[in-house]
């Protein structure tokens, strides 16, 4: 089932999310719905707060990104391996490597894209969809997508990394999104 994506300005996007247990009601269906919602809206990741659930859950699929690489991308990211993964109760352990900028966007903040600088590697502990524990390091595009989605479960958004001047320049766009004055080809839930 396709779920509406929560728009910028909704309070759930600013909540630090809670860990869950395997008996969280409807977890398997929620994960399946998150995959459906992410693909329907052409995303590469989606976090539970974006579908109005303040829990530590997100899914990513960077396989589709790597498969779509053009020649320049292949040259820029020669060792990139995509990943399709569910992350439950994720907790960041460390970020390492050289910081690098990449143009990011967000399904909750449509039509806004900005260059965001993040570390190239992240070490994270998480549980998979079978509640098996993992501690794993990711790098490149996959690390970036994980860090973006991880921010969501911490109540942060990619625009929080922008300098004040840049934030002022996009304020009108953000206000329009909050007010529902944005056209997208997927369902959205706007703040009341």
């Amino acid at each position: 089932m396709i779920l509406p994506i929560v728009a910028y300005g909704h309070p759930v996007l600013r909540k630090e999310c809670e860990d869950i247990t395997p008996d969280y009601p409807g977890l398997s269906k929620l994960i399946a719905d998150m995959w459906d919602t992410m693909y329907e809206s052409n995303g590469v990741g989606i976090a539970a707060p974006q579908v109005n659930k303040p829990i530590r859950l997100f899914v990513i699929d960077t396989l589709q990104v790597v498969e779509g690489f053009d020649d320049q991308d292949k040259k820029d990211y020669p060792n990139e391996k995509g990943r399709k993964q569910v992350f439950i109760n994720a907790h960041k352990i460390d970020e390492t490597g050289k910081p690098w900028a990449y143009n990011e966007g967000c399904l909750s903040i449509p039509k806004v894209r900005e260059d965001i600088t993040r570390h190239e590697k992240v070490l994270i502990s998480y549980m998979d969809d079978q509640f098996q524990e993992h501690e794993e390091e990711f790098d490149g595009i996959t690390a970036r997508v994980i860090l973006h989605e991880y921010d969501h479960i911490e109540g942060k958004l990619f625009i929080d990394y922008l300098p004040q001047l840049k934030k002022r320049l996009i304020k009108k766009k953000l206000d329009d999104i909050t007010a529902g004055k944005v056209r997208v080809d997927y369902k959205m839930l706007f703040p009341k």
Side-chain angles (χ1 to χ4, degrees), residues 6 22 57 87-88 128 132 148 176 183-185 187:
V6 172
L57 165 65
F87 292 82
I88 299 171
D128 61 25
Q132 299 299 308
H148 179 107
D176 284 349
R183 297 186 78 154
V184 293
D185 57 359
K187 293 192 296 187

Side-chain angles (χ1 to χ4, degrees), residues 3 8-9 14 50 62 65 91 118 136 140 151 153 167 180:
L3 303 171
Y8 175 79
R14 293 303 190 175
Q50 292 182 276
T62 57
V65 176
H91 292 276
R118 297 186 189 269
E136 197 169 352
D151 279 350
I153 64 172
K167 285 181 188 174

Side-chain angles (χ1 to χ4, degrees), residues 110-124:
K111 304 191 189 294
V112 174
R113 297 194 65 88
E114 295 291 340
D115 287 343
I116 303 300
T117 300
R118 297 186 189 269
H119 285 92
E120 63 185 344
K121 295 180 183 181
V122 61
L123 178 62
I124 195 165

Side-chain angles (χ1 to χ4, degrees), residues 6-187:
V6 172
Y8 175 79
H10 194 291
V12 74
L13 293 177
R14 293 303 190 175
K15 287 188 178 186
E16 188 173 336
C17 296
E18 301 288 326
D19 281 349
I20 58 172
T21 59
D23 59 355
Y24 183 84
L27 181 59
S28 294
K29 178 162 179 18
L30 174 60
I31 291 170
D33 291 348
M34 286 173 66
W35 285 121
D36 291 346
T37 303
M38 183 189 82
Y39 290 127
E40 180 69 19
S41 55
N42 295 311
V44 294
I46 194 166
Q50 292 182 276
V51 293
N52 207 18
K53 303 282 184 198
I55 59 173
R56 296 186 82 83
L57 165 65
F58 60 88
V59 301
I60 66 155
D61 182 356
T62 57
L63 290 171
Q64 59 181 334
V65 176
V66 175
E67 288 167 4
F69 271 3
D70 60 21
D71 289 339
Q72 186 61 50
D73 291 332
K74 288 175 185 170
K75 202 181 299 181
D76 291 344
Y77 313 106
N79 302 317
E80 189 68 43
K81 294 173 190 63
R83 185 75 172 262
K84 181 177 177 179
Q85 182 68 52
V86 175
F87 292 82
I88 299 171
N89 299 342
H91 292 276
K92 184 170 59 180
I93 298 166
D94 198 13
E95 291 179 59
T96 58
K98 191 172 103 186
W100 60 294
Y102 191 82
N103 194 259
E104 291 188 25
C106 179
L107 297 173
S108 293
I109 311 174
K111 304 191 189 294
V112 174
R113 297 194 65 88
E114 295 291 340
D115 287 343
I116 303 300
T117 300
R118 297 186 189 269
H119 285 92
E120 63 185 344
K121 295 180 183 181
V122 61
L123 178 62
I124 195 165
S125 68
Y126 68 95
M127 294 179 176
D128 61 25
D129 54 352
Q130 303 301 308
F131 273 80
Q132 299 299 308
E133 289 186 43
H134 301 268
E135 184 176 300
E136 197 169 352
E137 185 175 70
F138 298 90
D139 62 8
I141 302 287
T142 298
R144 176 167 294 275
V145 173
I146 288 169
L147 285 167
H148 179 107
E149 300 309 328
Y150 184 84
D151 279 350
H152 276 299
I153 64 172
E154 290 288 311
K156 296 179 189 164
L157 300 169
F158 82 98
I159 57 172
D160 296 345
Y161 295 95
L162 296 174
Q164 281 305 116
L165 176 61
K166 197 64 130 162
K167 285 181 188 174
R168 282 199 296 273
L169 291 172
I170 64 168
K171 185 178 181 334
K172 169 85 169 88
K173 284 183 183 178
L174 297 175
D175 290 345
D176 284 349
I177 293 167
T178 299
K181 297 177 189 171
V182 64
R183 297 186 78 154
V184 293
D185 57 359
Y186 50 88
K187 293 192 296 187

